[in-house]
Amino acid sequence: MKLFRKQYSQPGTQPGVIHDEKKGELTLSLFDFNASQCVEKLNATAEQCATFLDSNNETWVHVQGDPDKDTFTQLAKDFGIHELFIEDVSNLGQRPKIDIQEEQIFMILTLPVQTELGVSLQQISLFLMKNTVVSFCGGKFNPFTTINNRLKLPTSRLRKRHIDFLFYSLIDTVIDWGFPVLEQYADRIDATEELLLENHDKDILQKIHLLRREVLLLRRQIWPHREMLNTLLRDDTSELIESDTKLFLRDCYDHSISILELTETYHEMANGLMELYMSVVSLKLNDVMRVLTIIATLFIPPTFVVGIYGMNFSRDAGPLNMPELYSPYGYLGVWAVMIFMIVGMLLFFKKHKWI
Amino acid sequence: MKLFRKQYSQPGTQPGVIHDEKKGELTLSLFDFNASQCVEKLNATAEQCATFLDSNNETWVHVQGDPDKDTFTQLAKDFGIHELFIEDVSNLGQRPKIDIQEEQIFMILTLPVQTELGVSLQQISLFLMKNTVVSFCGGKFNPFTTINNRLKLPTSRLRKRHIDFLFYSLIDTVIDWGFPVLEQYADRIDATEELLLENHDKDILQKIHLLRREVLLLRRQIWPHREMLNTLLRDDTSELIESDTKLFLRDCYDHSISILELTETYHEMANGLMELYMSVVSLKLNDVMRVLTIIATLFIPPTFVVGIYGMNFSRDAGPLNMPELYSPYGYLGVWAVMIFMIVGMLLFFKKHKWI
Amino acid sequence: MKLFRKQYSQPGTQPGVIHDEKKGELTLSLFDFNASQCVEKLNATAEQCATFLDSNNETWVHVQGDPDKDTFTQLAKDFGIHELFIEDVSNLGQRPKIDIQEEQIFMILTLPVQTELGVSLQQISLFLMKNTVVSFCGGKFNPFTTINNRLKLPTSRLRKRHIDFLFYSLIDTVIDWGFPVLEQYADRIDATEELLLENHDKDILQKIHLLRREVLLLRRQIWPHREMLNTLLRDDTSELIESDTKLFLRDCYDHSISILELTETYHEMANGLMELYMSVVSLKLNDVMRVLTIIATLFIPPTFVVGIYGMNFSRDAGPLNMPELYSPYGYLGVWAVMIFMIVGMLLFFKKHKWI
Amino acid sequence: MKLFRKQYSQPGTQPGVIHDEKKGELTLSLFDFNASQCVEKLNATAEQCATFLDSNNETWVHVQGDPDKDTFTQLAKDFGIHELFIEDVSNLGQRPKIDIQEEQIFMILTLPVQTELGVSLQQISLFLMKNTVVSFCGGKFNPFTTINNRLKLPTSRLRKRHIDFLFYSLIDTVIDWGFPVLEQYADRIDATEELLLENHDKDILQKIHLLRREVLLLRRQIWPHREMLNTLLRDDTSELIESDTKLFLRDCYDHSISILELTETYHEMANGLMELYMSVVSLKLNDVMRVLTIIATLFIPPTFVVGIYGMNFSRDAGPLNMPELYSPYGYLGVWAVMIFMIVGMLLFFKKHKWI
Amino acid sequence: MKLFRKQYSQPGTQPGVIHDEKKGELTLSLFDFNASQCVEKLNATAEQCATFLDSNNETWVHVQGDPDKDTFTQLAKDFGIHELFIEDVSNLGQRPKIDIQEEQIFMILTLPVQTELGVSLQQISLFLMKNTVVSFCGGKFNPFTTINNRLKLPTSRLRKRHIDFLFYSLIDTVIDWGFPVLEQYADRIDATEELLLENHDKDILQKIHLLRREVLLLRRQIWPHREMLNTLLRDDTSELIESDTKLFLRDCYDHSISILELTETYHEMANGLMELYMSVVSLKLNDVMRVLTIIATLFIPPTFVVGIYGMNFSRDAGPLNMPELYSPYGYLGVWAVMIFMIVGMLLFFKKHKWI
Ligand SMILES: [Mg+2]
Ligand SMILES: [Mg+2]
Ligand SMILES: [Mg+2]
Ligand SMILES: [Mg+2]
Ligand SMILES: [Mg+2]
Ligand SMILES: [Mg+2]
Ligand SMILES: [Mg+2]
Ligand SMILES: [Mg+2]
Ligand SMILES: [Mg+2]
Ligand SMILES: [Mg+2]
Ligand SMILES: [Mg+2]
Ligand SMILES: [Mg+2]
Ligand SMILES: [Mg+2]
Ligand SMILES: [Mg+2]
Ligand SMILES: [Mg+2]
Ligand SMILES: [Mg+2]
Ligand SMILES: [Mg+2]
Ligand SMILES: [Mg+2]
Ligand SMILES: [Mg+2]
Ligand SMILES: [Mg+2]
Ligand SMILES: [Mg+2]
Ligand SMILES: [Mg+2]
Ligand SMILES: [Mg+2]
Ligand SMILES: [Mg+2]
Ligand SMILES: [Mg+2]
Ligand SMILES: [Mg+2]
Ligand SMILES: [Mg+2]
Ligand SMILES: [Mg+2]
Ligand SMILES: [Mg+2]
Ligand SMILES: [Mg+2]
Ligand SMILES: [Mg+2]
């Protein structure tokens, strides 16, 4: 995950303008449906989508892929999307936000996706208007394929109810993709914890740091969801969302709190792992130093003793020069001294529980 | 305790659907009572329970055990429980929540249970309707056996008052099970603290880490109880709870705050234990190193000195080669130097309070 | 201070019941007074107290000592105290709470007491009714003796004003007992700080840890006082407290904030002491290691050198074997090399400011 | 970045007075425009600006550079700016603030600028009045050059709309300059993180500390922007800002939140880098000590052994003096002992995973 | 700064009583003024002050010095100050507070003063009544001398406006004295930071700890100012402060926020310095240990080697005893082995970037 993900225009430039370089690949899919029928158009063009605008049916246009200036401008014009919103949609990496107006509700959400290279974050933008939903998903992964399938079933509640229920279903799907990602983080924390108690090399340190960093960034990016759903639930300026759908949104709101609290908890766990790492390293250093100290204090003093009797003071010069060397029990005496020293040290270590 | 406990459906699937794999073992018990009589049916079926619905008596159905799709669907239909709620009941590991409607109050609570393998968390779901309470308890331990016994006594307040008093009693019981669990954590913290000041091996480190982790997870799971009880107390959309019962709920609310604050305190204590552990390890390392330094600095310099006089420079080559060896007081002189060195060091250590 | 102080009934048991085992020793004292007279009865019985209920005078009953089932039940019945409140009074170790009803105000406060064994916490429970105050103090220390004396003076404001002023005076007294306790903690922090900079053994570590633990527990227990006083000040459901007394309560409220902030500050100071301890230990380790390193690096290399010339290679085997030993300036040369080594090291240490 | 940036008058001096020493160099530029025409005057004088006051066009005066007493006093008088505000404008280093009155809105913002010497903070002050905007920018960098260019285009929305849209554009520009600065901090964090895992000298420590300090100071200085924009959006005392412009301000508000959250995140990342640094240093110390311990424990015991047989106890004194030296397999035996010791140690290290 | 500064009466004693021991030295100064004249009386008595009470002019009495029971009681009686307030004024070390009544506003503020012995905190108490201000300043330093001088100038706004402007000016002066104190702390932090990167002895540790402690205590003591000024600004129970003065108070409110945020920042900086200190100490320990390890691992193995050939195994006992000693290239061979060892170690250190 990148620390800085936001695309932005040069400060001072005109608001609501899509940068000329936005020439991305994208696909449009269109669903026009009511309780009795459902038209599906994959790979539609912006013009085709516009023709369904005035139908009495519910219409859902989904745009998957990188922002493209021409398509976005056309869609904005046809569907009456404000230029500031379409700028937000085209500059990926936005903070999640909600803007409720009488005739239009605009939301940006962050979708965490588990890929092979780790967790990546995709920007989802949703517009709810009368009879119409337009959704944008920057990136490759389309989180809404299950919704597509449910739409085709005539018995599905998506078909029987108004478009606000589809809008809820899209939000709910984005929020719910947080659960598998968080489950994976829980597994990583558990695995690191186990590994840590056996080992403590630089790889684990890097793993912990990366984990902490990812959870921190994830938290920042999904933090606003809760407040946004709360705003949506309490809103009374728009009548686009029926009161019965609000019960479902409340359930979705609970999920967003649940996800946020899990992220908070994992963040604190990751902090705890760093502290645990430090403790394990300190403990290991203690072990190493104790071994060194035991060996050194056992052998350095007797080494000094044997050094004494390796000196070459000449007995011929006088009787005070190393008389021990000429005692018949000198060698045994030295061993006695050394064994006494070593046993003393061992008792000292025993007493201090070093061995 | 698992880091990630929540059961969830695949993102995008239809809301309010119980997963086909939910085929758990469960037992239903039914109590139909008023001030003068009490019918108890253990091991009832969903159909049997439905027959008591229209009685003028108060009816309590308790479902103990793992979620089961068929039973749950039947109960939901008979008692008029919303599909979103029954989904929450069947996906164990939910965050505690409350949903108050005019005709129905729905609560999910977390019950901490002290088992032989440590503290485990069970999900309790409660529905209060006019004259009826339905309660679900996922897991083996039934926390409500005392309530069962109290119900059979004709003098019990549970019998004399309306069903909202039973509802309060169930909530109160779940909250109160927190106290023995927290008392146990207090004991563990105290025990670890004492152990720590004598010892500091990896086992204690692991114990502290586990303690911290458990308290953190417990805190996350019981955190919402306070806010839920507050919501229940301030609610005025539903008249299911009589004003006299609210005094009892307020007492229960105090308990939930008390439990939350204890958990917070123990969390901070566990953090403090980790810091204390680090301090003890550092202090111990200091001791070890001081011993090593004392021994090494006492013996390394005299070892050098005796090494000098172990050299074999030939006196025959010239009179400058090691004349000390041929002095009559050479050996005594070396001892004097070495004792001077050692005493100097000992004084240095004394001055710095190392010995 | 115990981590877990709360007495509680088994989960699921009937609310409002005093446990049969509550058979404590307690003494009742009664004051019945108005501006012109004051009757004092020490060691009264519950029945005696009840006879003063209907007097037009102000009546204060103070119960000092451990909870007793019989006395408490009698008092509750006579004075019309709700069973839930009398249960709180009898289960010591409650979190401070307030419950305001039109005819009765109930408060639980925590009194910190400085004893010889350290700070202990006593539970104070207060009931204010029309013309009557009942106070309970669990524990041996009676904090209200000064109030008793003031009551006997006819000129005292306690006599001239209504019973709500006595109620305020009791609260104020309990809050104010926090100041000497906190002053003592300030002294302990200062003393530990000074000690720490000279010394750093395990005793100090234990002292710091204990200090931190005590302040943390104290904070938890007095934290609710502020909010309770605020609730009392803003309340308008009861007219038991006259508006003029509220000015006095506001002063008491300021004291409770002041005490809370001091506790917060001392908590942060205690945390800082733990960090300071770690720093001092690290610094000391650094000193120890520097000494070891200086000694070892000064003497290990020359010890190697003198070892070389202690070898016994036979000159007879060839002229390449240790010719230095047979040079007339060999010994001096070795000294030169060793002095060069040692001086080099000393310069290195000087440069790195180790000596 | 300086820790203390605020310029302030001596405590007690009269409010609203500009210090006599404020004699800075500054340039005034004036834009007087409506949809059809735009007059631009660079290097204008205060008197010239005043002549445009009563025009029906929109008028923007921009003051770039260090505060100057005379010019500021003149401008304040001509444009009716309150003395307290002009004092704030002239004392650079203010905390961002907003003051809304019916006829005038005053804002102080902080502009982070990326210079060659690091990030510096400039104070921007804005006054919105009917038809008039006055802006002050202390420092050399003019952030509004792009706005100047847009103003000259007749098609620009700045020309078509009222002066409140220019006011919004200035605020938006100041806020948006935060993005390149934060992008640069993200790069620095990433670079430091990579560097850190390879290296850990004092330079990196200083870099991390500086990074943390800068982000902390930046956070303090941009923190109030969010609340200020919120105040502006919710205000209803002034009608200077049209409701359509508020949609644009809401977008700007989102940006300010986004910048604040990024700063928070980077602050936590910088804290994490400091902890990572400590961990890397500890780990490295562990490595160093392990090498020392391996070498020392491998060689110190055999060194003792060879020392023994370097002693010179005289065999002539008795047969107990070092009989090993006279055994034909003595030397081989010593080697056997020493190899046994070394192999034992190596196995010990292997078992503890030190090698 | 003392940890515990509050003077307090014994718990349980009568409220509103000044302790008999309060016999301090103090001086009263009186200013009675209107737009056209100003009477100044230095060293006035309480009785003299009372005579000015009924004048139509504005009257300011300033009391400088330690509390004195007699003078305070007299002043309280004459000016109608409530006994609870006069008790607060006489017990120095209060937490800042505000009490607004219709006819009287009472404030306690904390004045930080930079003295030679460090920062000290003085208590300022202010009473605003109709036409009258009474101010108390405990301690020696009089912060209001500049105000005295401004009062004597007939052109001063203090003379032209009502007494509430003087009240604002006193508050503003007290708040503004925070800036020089904080500037000094910024300098100390910068100086310590620089010092720290060169040096790390116990003095610096003590400096950092003291800095942290002082900023923490300062923060506690000035924290309430912001909220107090906010209360004053939003109040509508009293009409003592004119609406025009509120604009000035709003400026003062901004200053109090600014000071609070600086204190918060410096607190976090001081915490950061402690962490930096720990890092520098760890880094230094690493350096020390690396030197020790390099020296020891370079010389210990060859010392073992030379030890081998210092053994005295007798060649006469058999040809297996130390044949190397009798090889003509033995000595050269040993040197070869030792140089190989040392070079190997040096390469190892090079590879691990230790040298
Ligand atoms: Mg957090
Ligand atoms: Mg934490
Ligand atoms: Mg955290
Ligand atoms: Mg946290
Ligand atoms: Mg943290
Ligand atoms: Mg931390
Ligand atoms: Mg906490
Ligand atoms: Mg916490
Ligand atoms: Mg804390
Ligand atoms: Mg914590
Ligand atoms: Mg903590
Ligand atoms: Mg922490
Ligand atoms: Mg704090
Ligand atoms: Mg803290
Ligand atoms: Mg704290
Ligand atoms: Mg702290
Ligand atoms: Mg901490
Ligand atoms: Mg912390
Ligand atoms: Mg932060
Ligand atoms: Mg943070
Ligand atoms: Mg922080
Ligand atoms: Mg944090
Ligand atoms: Mg932080
Ligand atoms: Mg942090
Ligand atoms: Mg931190
Ligand atoms: Mg802080
Ligand atoms: Mg902070
Ligand atoms: Mg802090
Ligand atoms: Mg902080
Ligand atoms: Mg911090
Ligand atoms: Mg910290």
Side-chain angles (χ1 to χ4, degrees), chain E residues 134-198:
Chain E
V134 186
S135 60
F136 297 82
C137 173
K140 287 188 182 148
F141 175 72
N142 181 353
F144 299 137
T145 47
T146 324
I147 304 278
N148 294 356
N149 296 333
R150 279 167 57 200
L151 256 187
K152 294 180 207 157
L153 299 177
T155 58
S156 162
R157 201 156 15 187
L158 286 168
R159 291 277 289 280
K160 291 184 198 148
R161 299 186 57 163
H162 286 124
I163 193 83
D164 60 326
F165 194 79
L166 174 71
F167 186 66
Y168 145 73
S169 299
L170 298 179
I171 297 172
D172 183 53
T173 304
V174 173
I175 299 288
D176 280 359
W177 274 107
F179 287 115
V181 168
L182 284 167
E183 195 168 21
Q184 170 265 130
Y185 277 117
D187 291 347
R188 270 171 72 186
I189 290 172
D190 277 336
T192 312
E193 211 172 292
E194 251 172 65
L195 211 63
L196 182 54
L197 289 163
E198 286 168 17

Side-chain angles (χ1 to χ4, degrees), chain C residues 287-317:
Chain C
D287 279 356
V288 170
M289 294 317 296
R290 212 169 53 225
V291 167
L292 174 61
T293 303
I294 288 170
I295 296 294
T297 52
L298 281 181
F299 289 100
I300 285 179
T303 301
F304 162 65
V305 170
V306 302
I308 293 171
Y309 298 104
M311 290 193 294
N312 299 322
F313 282 95
S314 166
R315 196 179 202 196
D316 299 341

Side-chain angles (χ1 to χ4, degrees), chain B residues 268, chain C residues 219 264 267-268 271:
Chain B
E268 207 155 336
Chain C
R219 184 180 64 164
E264 292 278 349
H267 180 235
E268 208 154 334
N271 278 345

Side-chain angles (χ1 to χ4, degrees), chain D residues 3-4 6 8 10-15 82-85 88 95 97 99 101 200-202 205-206 209 212-213 216-217 219-220 223 267 274 277-278 281 284-285 287-289 291-292 295 299 302-303 306 309-312 324-332 334-335 338, chain E residues 146 150 157 168 173 176-177 179-180 182-183 186 189-190 193 197 247-248 250-251 254 257-258 261-262 265-266 268-269 272 275-276 278-280 282-283 285-286 289-290 292-293 296-297 300-301 304 307-314 317 320-322 324 345 348 352 354:
Chain D
L3 272 188
F4 190 91
K6 196 178 186 310
Y8 60 93
Q10 186 66 8
T13 49
Q14 195 181 339
H82 194 285
E83 55 194 342
L84 279 176
F85 297 157
D88 283 345
R95 184 182 185 270
K97 65 182 278 186
D99 198 284
Q101 293 176 334
H200 61 280
D201 54 21
K202 216 186 229 177
L205 182 57
Q206 234 170 324
H209 184 69
R212 188 156 81 163
R213 177 187 163 132
L216 182 60
L217 295 181
R219 185 181 64 163
R220 183 182 83 204
W223 174 267
H267 180 233
M274 188 58 100
Y277 180 86
M278 290 286 281
V281 168
K284 194 73 180 246
L285 180 64
D287 280 356
V288 169
M289 294 317 296
V291 168
L292 174 63
I295 296 293
F299 288 101
T303 300
V306 302
Y309 297 105
M311 291 193 293
N312 299 320
E324 304 92 326
L325 293 179
Y326 307 97
S327 148
Y329 303 106
Y331 184 52
L332 291 186
V334 164
W335 269 114
M338 293 190 306
Chain E
T146 324
R150 279 167 57 200
R157 201 156 15 187
Y168 145 73
T173 304
D176 280 359
W177 274 107
F179 287 115
L182 284 167
E183 195 168 21
I189 290 172
D190 277 336
E193 211 172 292
L197 289 163
L247 179 65
F248 287 84
R250 219 145 60 213
D251 186 69
D254 286 336
I257 296 178
S258 187
E261 286 185 0
L262 284 169
T265 304
Y266 296 169
E268 207 153 336
M269 294 293 296
E275 282 178 44
L276 187 65
M278 290 287 281
S279 297
V280 168
S282 288
L283 192 61
L285 180 63
N286 240 354
M289 293 316 296
R290 212 169 52 226
L292 174 62
T293 303
T297 51
I300 285 179
F304 162 64
I308 293 171
Y309 297 104
M311 290 193 294
N312 299 320
F313 282 96
S314 167
L320 293 175
N321 276 352
M322 309 193 73
E324 303 92 327
M345 276 299 166
F348 176 86
H352 286 74
W354 293 10

Side-chain angles (χ1 to χ4, degrees), chain B residues 153-261:
Chain B
L153 300 177
T155 58
S156 162
R157 199 156 15 185
L158 286 168
R159 291 277 289 280
K160 291 184 196 148
R161 298 185 58 163
H162 286 125
I163 193 83
D164 61 327
F165 193 79
L166 174 69
F167 186 66
Y168 146 73
S169 300
L170 298 180
I171 295 171
D172 184 53
T173 305
V174 174
I175 300 289
D176 281 359
W177 274 107
F179 286 115
V181 168
L182 283 168
E183 195 168 21
Q184 172 263 131
Y185 277 117
D187 291 347
R188 271 171 73 186
I189 289 172
D190 278 336
T192 312
E193 210 171 292
E194 252 173 62
L195 213 63
L196 182 53
L197 288 163
E198 286 168 17
N199 204 339
H200 60 280
D201 55 20
K202 215 185 232 178
D203 280 0
I204 295 180
L205 181 58
Q206 233 170 322
K207 265 186 197 165
I208 296 172
H209 185 69
L210 193 65
L211 190 64
R212 189 157 81 162
R213 177 186 164 133
E214 283 190 23
V215 176
L216 183 60
L217 295 180
L218 181 64
R219 185 181 62 165
R220 182 181 86 206
Q221 210 58 33
I222 65 175
W223 174 267
H225 286 169
R226 183 178 58 169
E227 192 48 37
M228 283 161 61
L229 285 167
N230 196 20
T231 305
L232 195 58
L233 279 170
R234 291 167 182 262
D235 172 66
D236 52 7
T237 61
S238 162
E239 290 179 355
L240 288 168
I241 295 184
E242 294 172 12
S243 74
D244 190 41
T245 306
K246 292 218 167 165
L247 179 65
F248 287 83
L249 275 171
R250 218 145 60 213
D251 187 69
C252 184
Y253 173 61
D254 286 336
H255 288 191
S256 76
I257 296 178
S258 187
I259 282 176
L260 191 55
E261 286 185 359

Side-chain angles (χ1 to χ4, degrees), chain B residues 87-341:
Chain B
E87 186 189 8
D88 283 344
V89 174
S90 72
N91 280 335
L92 297 182
Q94 295 289 326
R95 184 182 185 271
K97 64 183 279 187
I98 188 167
D99 197 285
I100 301 178
Q101 294 176 333
E102 208 183 325
E103 303 287 325
Q104 194 179 67
I105 295 177
F106 169 47
M107 280 180 99
I108 295 183
L109 296 156
T110 298
L111 173 76
V113 182
Q114 182 72 34
T115 70
E116 281 159 30
L117 299 166
V119 174
S120 82
L121 302 174
Q122 293 185 182
Q123 174 174 322
I124 305 289
S125 312
L126 303 176
F127 292 91
L128 171 66
M129 289 157 286
K130 188 163 160 21
N131 291 339
T132 313
V133 160
V134 186
S135 61
F136 296 83
C137 174
K140 286 189 182 148
F141 174 73
N142 181 353
F144 299 136
T145 47
T146 325
I147 304 279
N148 294 355
N149 296 333
R150 280 167 56 200
L151 257 188
K152 294 180 207 154
L153 300 177
T155 58
S156 162
R157 199 156 15 185
L158 286 168
R159 291 277 289 280
K160 291 184 196 148
R161 298 185 58 163
H162 286 125
I163 193 83
D164 61 327
F165 193 79
L166 174 69
F167 186 66
Y168 146 73
S169 300
L170 298 180
I171 295 171
D172 184 53
T173 305
V174 174
I175 300 289
D176 281 359
W177 274 107
F179 286 115
V181 168
L182 283 168
E183 195 168 21
Q184 172 263 131
Y185 277 117
D187 291 347
R188 271 171 73 186
I189 289 172
D190 278 336
T192 312
E193 210 171 292
E194 252 173 62
L195 213 63
L196 182 53
L197 288 163
E198 286 168 17
N199 204 339
H200 60 280
D201 55 20
K202 215 185 232 178
D203 280 0
I204 295 180
L205 181 58
Q206 233 170 322
K207 265 186 197 165
I208 296 172
H209 185 69
L210 193 65
L211 190 64
R212 189 157 81 162
R213 177 186 164 133
E214 283 190 23
V215 176
L216 183 60
L217 295 180
L218 181 64
R219 185 181 62 165
R220 182 181 86 206
Q221 210 58 33
I222 65 175
W223 174 267
H225 286 169
R226 183 178 58 169
E227 192 48 37
M228 283 161 61
L229 285 167
N230 196 20
T231 305
L232 195 58
L233 279 170
R234 291 167 182 262
D235 172 66
D236 52 7
T237 61
S238 162
E239 290 179 355
L240 288 168
I241 295 184
E242 294 172 12
S243 74
D244 190 41
T245 306
K246 292 218 167 165
L247 179 65
F248 287 83
L249 275 171
R250 218 145 60 213
D251 187 69
C252 184
Y253 173 61
D254 286 336
H255 288 191
S256 76
I257 296 178
S258 187
I259 282 176
L260 191 55
E261 286 185 359
L262 284 168
T263 317
E264 291 279 349
T265 305
Y266 296 170
H267 180 234
E268 207 155 336
M269 295 292 295
N271 278 345
L273 281 182
M274 188 58 99
E275 282 178 43
L276 187 63
Y277 180 86
M278 291 287 280
S279 296
V280 169
V281 168
S282 287
L283 192 60
K284 195 71 180 244
L285 180 63
N286 241 352
D287 280 356
V288 170
M289 294 316 296
R290 213 169 51 226
V291 168
L292 175 61
T293 302
I294 289 170
I295 296 294
T297 53
L298 281 182
F299 289 101
I300 285 178
T303 301
F304 162 65
V305 170
V306 301
I308 293 170
Y309 298 103
M311 291 192 293
N312 300 322
F313 283 95
S314 167
R315 197 183 201 194
D316 299 342
L320 294 175
N321 277 352
M322 309 191 75
E324 303 92 327
L325 293 179
Y326 305 97
S327 146
Y329 302 105
Y331 184 53
L332 292 185
V334 163
W335 268 115
V337 166
M338 294 190 305
I339 287 170
F340 178 82
M341 279 175 160

